[in-house]
Amino acid sequence: MIEGAVNAALEAILSLSVTGPSGRKRDIEAVIDSGYDGFLTLPPALVRELGLPFVTRGRATLADGRVATFNVHRGAVLWDAAPRDIDVDAADTTPLVGMRLLEQHDLCVEVRDGGRVVIEPAA
């Protein structure tokens, strides 16, 4: 089980450990974004700091209709007590957890300041 909390802005927040190929690790806080279909976004500076290897370029249509392009890198997160290799999108935004990382899991959010966020493997 993975647990987080809802902040005063009513964002569901998770604490995650992200690791690069050299073993360099950073603990981050990320917002769950149900409108994002990727795994995880990280700021480009953090992607460089961790030495995440480049994989490809990606494209996304933003909520305002603009199309954004971004670099996709390979990294790992500690997910449900086990390391998991994932694609990491480099984006100038707060770290975001997307629906692909949540796939095959159940998400429960108590939507109020200080509410619990609970993620469990799907039954």
Side-chain angles (χ1 to χ4, degrees), residues 3-86:
E3 292 189 74
V6 175
N7 66 18
L10 300 181
E11 297 169 319
I13 306 292
L14 295 178
S15 295
L16 298 174
S17 289
V18 183
T19 307
S22 68
R24 181 174 280 169
K25 181 170 61 169
R26 276 289 297 277
D27 294 331
I28 64 160
E29 286 195 344
V31 176
I32 296 173
D33 183 350
S34 63
Y36 167 49
D37 66 357
F39 287 95
L40 181 69
T41 66
L42 291 177
L46 183 52
V47 169
R48 286 190 299 275
E49 179 184 323
L50 292 170
L52 303 183
F54 174 81
V55 175
T56 190
R57 294 276 294 158
R59 287 176 49 121
T61 302
L62 304 178
D64 65 6
R66 290 182 293 134
V67 175
T69 58
F70 50 87
N71 290 336
V72 180
H73 300 265
R74 197 71 179 157
V77 294
L78 191 60
W79 187 255
D80 212 13
R84 182 173 173 190
D85 291 331
I86 61 167

